[in-house]
Amino acid sequence: MMTRADFEKLDAQDPLAGLRQQFILEDGLIYLDGNSLGVLPRATAPRVAQVVQQEWGQGLIRSWNSAGWISLSQRVGNKIAQLIGARSGEVVAVDSTSINLFKVLAAALGIAQARDPARTVVLSEAGNFPTDLYVAQGLSALTQQRCVLKQVESGEILGALSQDTAVLMLTHVNYKTGAMWDMSAITAAAQARGVLVIWDLAHSAGAVEVDLHQANADFAVGCGYKYLNGGPGAPAFVWMHPRHAAHARQPLSGWLGHVSPFAFSPDYSPAHGITQFVCGTPPVISLAALECGVDTVLAAGSVGGMRAVRAKSTALTRAFIACITPFCERLGLTLISPRQDDARGSQVCYAHANAYAVMQALIERRVIGDFRAPDVLRFGFTPLYTRFADVFDAAQGLQEVLATKVYAQERFTRRQAVT
Amino acid sequence: MMTRADFEKLDAQDPLAGLRQQFILEDGLIYLDGNSLGVLPRATAPRVAQVVQQEWGQGLIRSWNSAGWISLSQRVGNKIAQLIGARSGEVVAVDSTSINLFKVLAAALGIAQARDPARTVVLSEAGNFPTDLYVAQGLSALTQQRCVLKQVESGEILGALSQDTAVLMLTHVNYKTGAMWDMSAITAAAQARGVLVIWDLAHSAGAVEVDLHQANADFAVGCGYKYLNGGPGAPAFVWMHPRHAAHARQPLSGWLGHVSPFAFSPDYSPAHGITQFVCGTPPVISLAALECGVDTVLAAGSVGGMRAVRAKSTALTRAFIACITPFCERLGLTLISPRQDDARGSQVCYAHANAYAVMQALIERRVIGDFRAPDVLRFGFTPLYTRFADVFDAAQGLQEVLATKVYAQERFTRRQAVT
């Protein structure tokens, strides 16, 4: 049995330990919810104040040029590209994940149906994050079923790829279970059947290794406020493989996606490459905060980059499972994340009959994880600021909450709007 | 001929003069570009710092409940509603104007075609802001011409309404000329021909009186970063008349527009009313800044509200025209904004053969207006912080720039990316 001292030793040996200094973290708080909202980087508040007070307040409209606002989506996109195996000029940071998914789904559908109009199915996983499914349903209704969403269980995805399938749309790491797809293998299998592949990297970017070019993916979107630490509701990002640049056409055609926005031409002509995926004017303040968040992940470049981040992530989640296993069954927990390291993202989830109340009780003990309906306890391990000692303490806390049944108290069982 | 002293007297008598104290304005700078980017309110930097440092930094994920982030789009929307003749619960602040326009255009088209599938035309003004036209073109392409954009000159709009017209989509105040539609009359004329009407309030909200219910409009969208002073790229807003709530369906169906987002149901079921127009997670920091901006306009409530704001706006633009008129023709200026007060928004525009260079020279003299291709000088007058003395000084500055031909110097004629 490992002791807390063993975990402290792991922290002492951790080459990424210094990255924690980039964040403002409350003493004694164990935050295992960076997969829902990443913590505040030290650089963000001063940078946001600068954007508000100097760039906006003093620069005013001139800052579109002088402060580079006009290409901020591209600048932040280029930084994100480095974390996901994309190249400079291939990513923009803009809008929300949902909106970006609508863009790439419509673009991919257009490409697929230009090749073969009989391909109408958008295939996805039944347990995908709901917004991904909703966006496909919205596109289906708008196009009068020119595409139809088909949801199958994860084990049936490969078998469900058929002559009817236009697009396979998957989230790389499942939001609820932490299960991670083999991006290269799935992409290759789908493409072998003539299917385009869209990856949602919401729970991947900044946490696990992603190499979009190596995997030969077609499109990708992702989230700025989880492992990228961009702040609440931070803009999302979107990537397209350059082989599609000449043909792809996304329908949310706004003025900043125009090839020449300041010509104010009455007819839309898309910008080259990924810039056509910019639509309206992006929220500059939130985008500046996102850049600070992305910088915290890029800082890992000096200590091994995303490979080292992933290695630590795997070690953290493996250690957490190891800590829980001795009391898991006895205290009513069921592991729903994959035990196999390379099939698991940066989170560990357990089912428990009283999951909501258990999480509330744990939060009161200053271990913050997430509840996901109906019965899931979700623990996210952000390698940049989570320590091995935190893993030990969180497991201890969970054990005590469960063993003492403190969670049965009314103040924990009473539901709030959001958790 | 009026002197500067006369203008100073107007400022002394101005019941709205005190509202200027709400903003951080550089001494000696005359900012006539609030219709492109409103100036920084004093309240914004502290509020943004609070959101970043306390709500995000300390509250972390808990702030979705404890800081009310989850209903921030609605809270800010309810404040905007008060400025545009909408009711509480009818407006949300979310996404960009372009994206919101796509939502309402698709929703309106769905309603129109459910009544009569032969109505396929989206009618708009040829000189409308390009993004509005592009969005309609994007929807047209995506739906395989289930709708088609028809652009006609403003004088031909009423005559162009026909049995084929599904939706009339107009910007209330033209971005380039400042010409303002009679919202009630146009809406009534279109509806009499069975046409739904969408108003883009980008250059109206916070500057001119708008009463969406009195005008009986169908849908509206608008911008947060112009007269609402919400900051660069601030989220936009969207309104729907409640008579459409039961039937409207917008296609950008994201999880926060779901009737029960935290049920994580695999099938989309829209939230009631305007909340279905929320899509993904909104950018909280930028949304908080927008709220501060909206508050600066609401503050006019104590000194006469939007009626008083509009009265001052009209007086400012009329005074500017009066100052320019004596040298207008002689120095090559042509007024392209309506002379008639009630047909003009809160801006005054002149054509000039060297408009770009003239504006650069004027900016160097610390009078900031806007250039719009190919030959337009655009001056926006934000009634909340523009003084009558500023009008005088700006006109004087323009006269000197033109009379001395200083604008012909190379440093003014060299183009930048954005102006």
Side-chain angles (χ1 to χ4, degrees):
Chain A
M1 196 69 191
M2 284 177 83
T3 64
R4 193 174 198 280
D6 296 322
F7 283 81
E8 286 167 2
K9 200 177 292 171
L10 290 174
D11 284 320
Q13 296 161 349
D14 173 18
L16 273 61
L19 296 176
R20 182 175 161 95
Q21 292 307 315
Q22 299 182 98
F23 300 93
I24 295 175
L25 285 152
E26 203 180 307
D27 265 356
L29 186 77
I30 300 177
Y31 191 66
L32 303 180
D33 211 358
N35 52 339
S36 189
L37 175 65
V39 304
L40 174 63
R42 273 182 207 287
T44 304
R47 172 66 184 135
V48 165
Q50 183 187 42
V51 171
V52 171
Q53 292 169 31
Q54 274 85 61
E55 296 187 6
W56 173 17
Q58 293 171 22
L60 289 162
I61 193 70
R62 296 164 291 196
S63 287
W64 282 103
N65 279 319
S66 58
W69 291 348
I70 195 70
S71 54
L72 192 54
S73 283
Q74 285 82 357
R75 186 170 86 201
V76 180
N78 284 340
K79 290 186 172 184
I80 295 170
Q82 299 171 45
L83 304 174
I84 56 174
R87 297 179 193 132
S88 191
E90 290 180 359
V91 176
V92 284
V94 69
D95 294 325
S96 66
T97 311
S98 306
I99 301 264
N100 288 336
L101 199 53
F102 187 90
K103 295 172 191 168
V104 297
L105 198 51
L109 190 71
I111 293 168
Q113 295 191 342
R115 292 176 191 164
D116 179 359
R119 290 189 182 262
T120 55
V121 172
V122 174
L123 183 65
S124 195
E125 184 187 353
N128 199 347
F129 187 69
T131 221
D132 297 51
L133 305 174
Y134 301 162
V135 163
Q137 288 163 359
L139 182 65
S140 176
L142 181 65
T143 60
Q144 299 184 320
Q145 280 73 51
R146 207 170 83 230
C147 68
V148 181
L149 173 66
K150 183 175 180 180
Q151 303 179 40
V152 302
E153 295 303 317
S154 59
E156 295 160 18
I157 287 284
L158 287 184
L161 291 163
S162 78
Q163 302 282 20
D164 297 339
T165 313
V167 181
L168 174 61
M169 172 184 79
L170 290 174
T171 299
H172 183 219
V173 175
N174 188 283
Y175 81 104
K176 209 171 188 172
T177 66
M180 184 167 73
W181 291 99
D182 180 336
M183 187 182 286
S184 291
I186 297 287
T187 301
Q191 289 172 344
R193 290 166 179 82
V195 175
L196 292 163
V197 186
I198 296 172
W199 289 102
D200 180 344
L201 305 176
H203 288 266
S204 308
V208 304
E209 280 182 284
V210 175
D211 192 332
L212 289 166
H213 273 281
Q214 188 273 324
N216 194 38
D218 292 292
F219 295 90
V221 300
C223 177
Y225 53 80
K226 298 179 186 291
Y227 295 103
L228 296 183
N229 309 310
F237 64 87
V238 54
W239 171 85
M240 159 175 70
H241 194 287
R243 67 173 165 269
H244 296 308
H247 314 288
R249 187 74 180 254
Q250 72 90 3
L252 300 179
S253 35
W255 76 298
L256 281 184
H258 193 279
V259 66
S260 184
F262 290 91
F264 294 105
S265 151
D267 291 305
Y268 185 70
S269 184
H272 306 299
I274 197 67
T275 293
Q276 75 154 294
F277 285 79
V278 180
C279 179
T281 311
V284 169
I285 304 174
S286 285
L287 204 43
L290 172 59
E291 186 169 23
C292 297
V294 174
D295 285 343
T296 64
V297 190
L298 287 173
S302 61
V303 283
M306 284 308 302
R307 177 150 300 180
V309 169
R310 170 62 177 161
K312 182 176 175 189
S313 158
T314 306
L316 289 167
T317 54
R318 193 195 308 129
F320 188 65
I321 293 171
C323 287
I324 303 288
T325 298
F327 61 86
C328 186
E329 257 189 70
R330 178 168 48 89
L331 294 178
L333 294 171
T334 310
L335 179 67
I336 58 173
S337 297
R339 222 171 257 284
Q340 194 188 324
D341 285 348
D342 65 0
R344 190 176 64 241
S346 202
Q347 69 186 61
V348 178
C349 304
Y350 288 92
H352 188 279
N354 303 100
Y356 178 83
V358 169
M359 186 51 75
Q360 294 307 306
L362 205 52
I363 289 170
E364 198 183 75
R365 293 177 63 104
R366 311 187 70 206
V367 177
I368 298 185
D370 234 340
F371 162 75
R372 283 292 173 259
D375 63 354
V376 176
L377 296 164
R378 191 175 76 160
F379 301 93
F381 296 85
T382 305
L384 266 55
Y385 50 79
T386 305
R387 297 168 298 200
F388 287 92
D390 295 332
V391 168
F392 181 86
D393 293 342
Q396 286 279 99
L398 179 58
Q399 180 173 14
E400 283 170 32
V401 162
L402 293 172
T404 59
K405 289 203 176 1
V406 62
Y407 61 81
Q409 296 178 12
E410 197 268 344
R411 72 178 189 281
F412 299 132
T413 56
R414 198 175 47 234
R415 287 289 184 104
Q416 289 182 288
V418 196
T419 58
Chain B
M1 196 67 191
M2 283 176 83
T3 64
R4 193 174 198 281
D6 296 320
F7 282 80
E8 287 166 2
K9 201 177 293 171
L10 289 174
D11 284 320
Q13 296 160 352
D14 173 17
L16 274 61
L19 297 175
R20 182 174 160 96
Q21 292 306 317
Q22 299 182 99
F23 301 93
I24 295 174
L25 284 152
E26 202 179 307
D27 266 355
L29 186 77
I30 300 176
Y31 191 66
L32 303 180
D33 212 358
N35 52 338
S36 189
L37 174 64
V39 304
L40 173 63
R42 272 182 208 288
T44 304
R47 172 66 185 137
V48 165
Q50 182 187 42
V51 170
V52 171
Q53 293 170 30
Q54 274 85 60
E55 297 186 6
W56 172 18
Q58 293 171 21
L60 289 163
I61 193 68
R62 297 165 290 196
S63 287
W64 282 103
N65 279 318
S66 58
W69 292 349
I70 195 68
S71 53
L72 192 54
S73 282
Q74 285 82 357
R75 186 170 87 200
V76 181
N78 285 339
K79 289 185 173 186
I80 295 170
Q82 300 172 43
L83 304 174
I84 57 174
R87 296 178 194 135
S88 191
E90 291 180 359
V91 176
V92 285
V94 68
D95 294 326
S96 66
T97 310
S98 306
I99 301 267
N100 288 336
L101 200 54
F102 187 89
K103 296 173 191 166
V104 297
L105 198 51
L109 191 71
I111 292 169
Q113 295 191 342
R115 292 178 191 162
D116 179 0
R119 290 189 181 263
T120 55
V121 172
V122 174
L123 183 65
S124 195
E125 185 186 352
N128 199 348
F129 187 69
T131 220
D132 297 51
L133 305 173
Y134 301 162
V135 163
Q137 288 163 0
L139 183 64
S140 177
L142 181 65
T143 60
Q144 300 185 318
Q145 281 73 52
R146 207 170 83 231
C147 68
V148 182
L149 173 67
K150 182 174 178 179
Q151 305 178 38
V152 303
E153 295 303 317
S154 58
E156 295 160 17
I157 286 284
L158 286 185
L161 292 163
S162 78
Q163 300 282 18
D164 297 340
T165 314
V167 181
L168 174 62
M169 172 183 79
L170 290 174
T171 299
H172 183 220
V173 175
N174 187 283
Y175 80 103
K176 207 172 187 171
T177 66
M180 183 168 73
W181 292 99
D182 180 334
M183 186 182 285
S184 291
I186 297 290
T187 302
Q191 289 173 344
R193 290 167 181 80
V195 175
L196 292 163
V197 186
I198 296 172
W199 289 102
D200 179 344
L201 304 177
H203 289 266
S204 307
V208 304
E209 281 181 283
V210 176
D211 192 332
L212 290 167
H213 274 283
Q214 189 272 325
N216 194 37
D218 292 291
F219 294 90
V221 300
C223 176
Y225 53 79
K226 299 180 185 289
Y227 295 103
L228 296 184
N229 309 310
F237 64 87
V238 54
W239 171 85
M240 158 175 71
H241 194 287
R243 68 174 166 268
H244 296 307
H247 315 287
R249 188 74 180 252
Q250 72 89 3
L252 300 178
S253 36
W255 76 301
L256 280 183
H258 192 280
V259 66
S260 184
F262 289 91
F264 295 105
S265 152
D267 292 305
Y268 185 69
S269 183
H272 305 299
I274 198 66
T275 294
Q276 76 154 293
F277 285 78
V278 181
C279 179
T281 310
V284 169
I285 304 174
S286 285
L287 204 42
L290 172 59
E291 185 170 22
C292 297
V294 174
D295 285 343
T296 64
V297 191
L298 286 173
S302 61
V303 283
M306 284 307 302
R307 177 151 301 179
V309 169
R310 170 61 176 160
K312 182 176 174 187
S313 157
T314 307
L316 289 166
T317 54
R318 193 195 308 130
F320 188 66
I321 294 172
C323 287
I324 304 289
T325 299
F327 62 86
C328 185
E329 258 191 68
R330 180 169 47 89
L331 295 178
L333 294 172
T334 308
L335 179 67
I336 58 172
S337 298
R339 221 171 257 284
Q340 193 188 324
D341 285 347
D342 65 0
R344 189 175 66 240
S346 202
Q347 68 185 62
V348 177
C349 304
Y350 289 92
H352 188 279
N354 303 98
Y356 179 83
V358 169
M359 186 51 76
Q360 295 306 306
L362 205 52
I363 289 170
E364 197 183 74
R365 294 179 62 106
R366 312 190 68 208
V367 177
I368 299 186
D370 235 340
F371 162 75
R372 283 294 172 258
D375 63 354
V376 176
L377 297 164
R378 190 175 77 159
F379 301 94
F381 296 85
T382 305
L384 265 54
Y385 50 78
T386 306
R387 295 168 299 200
F388 287 92
D390 295 333
V391 168
F392 182 86
D393 292 343
Q396 287 279 101
L398 179 57
Q399 180 174 14
E400 283 170 31
V401 162
L402 293 172
T404 59
K405 287 200 175 7
V406 63
Y407 61 82
Q409 296 179 12
E410 198 265 345
R411 73 178 187 283
F412 299 130
T413 56
R414 196 174 51 233
R415 287 288 183 105
Q416 289 180 289
V418 195
T419 58

